[in-house]
């Protein structure tokens, strides 16, 4: 049996990347793509990006995901699953990109297979 930990990273759709100058953001990957690529490079077991249909952060107004173009404040979630040690190492290595995010451990599970 192996214990797995799942974390959720909450951020706004329009989250700016601080590691890229403004003029390069036109061709650089968005925040979710960056996190998933770095999670894959760190050999983490699973990384998923959830597109939220509606919600809000910090008691602000509700953002509805009804249109083709989402509001920059619209909530998004990335979920990463692996051992606690590997996730902690990943978060420590990438702490600069997670400055303006809310990270929450939502689940500990035991893998039976």
């Amino acid at each position: 049996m192996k214990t797995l930990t799942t974390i959720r990273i909450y951020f706004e759709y329009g989250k700016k990347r601080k590691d890229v100058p403004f003029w390069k953001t036109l061709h650089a990957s968005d925040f979710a793509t960056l996190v998933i690529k770095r999670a894959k490079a760190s050999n983490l077991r699973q990384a998923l990006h959830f597109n939220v249909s509606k919600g809000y952060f910090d008691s602000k107004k509700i953002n509805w995901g009804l249109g083709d173009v989402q509001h920059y404040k619209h909530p998004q979630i990335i979920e990463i699953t692996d051992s606690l040690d590997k996730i902690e190492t990943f978060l420590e290595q990438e702490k600069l990109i997670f400055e303006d995010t809310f990270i929450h451990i939502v689940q500990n599970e035991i893998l039976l297979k």
Side-chain angles (χ1 to χ4, degrees):
M1 284 194 262
K2 181 178 178 183
T3 302
L4 296 176
T5 299
T6 300
I7 62 167
R8 283 192 171 175
I9 303 164
Y10 298 91
F11 61 99
E12 293 176 341
Y13 178 73
K15 178 162 174 39
K16 303 290 184 208
R17 289 182 47 188
K18 294 184 178 181
D19 62 330
V20 177
F22 174 76
W23 62 275
K24 286 190 176 183
T25 59
L26 300 173
H27 300 290
S29 298
D30 61 275
F31 180 74
T33 302
L34 170 75
V35 172
I36 290 172
K37 284 182 177 180
R38 290 191 180 180
K40 181 69 172 170
S42 295
N43 202 26
L44 294 175
R45 180 184 186 102
Q46 176 175 301
L48 303 169
H49 174 220
F50 294 103
N51 190 1
V52 178
S53 60
K54 52 186 138 298
Y56 64 92
F57 284 133
D58 299 326
S59 300
K60 296 179 182 167
K61 75 174 202 163
I62 297 174
N63 285 288
W64 307 91
L66 301 174
D68 291 338
V69 178
Q70 291 189 352
H71 191 272
Y72 71 99
K73 294 277 187 186
H74 194 78
Q76 301 287 296
I77 301 170
I78 294 176
E79 185 177 273
I80 298 176
T81 302
D82 208 315
S83 68
L84 182 59
D85 294 339
K86 286 181 81 173
I87 287 176
E88 286 177 344
T89 300
F90 174 71
L91 293 175
E92 183 61 32
Q93 289 173 346
E94 305 294 342
K95 65 183 174 185
L96 291 178
I97 65 171
F98 295 126
E99 283 181 337
D100 300 333
T101 61
F102 175 70
I103 299 174
H104 183 71
I105 295 177
V106 292
Q107 179 177 351
N108 288 323
E109 16 179 87
I110 297 175
L111 184 64
L112 298 176
K113 290 184 181 182

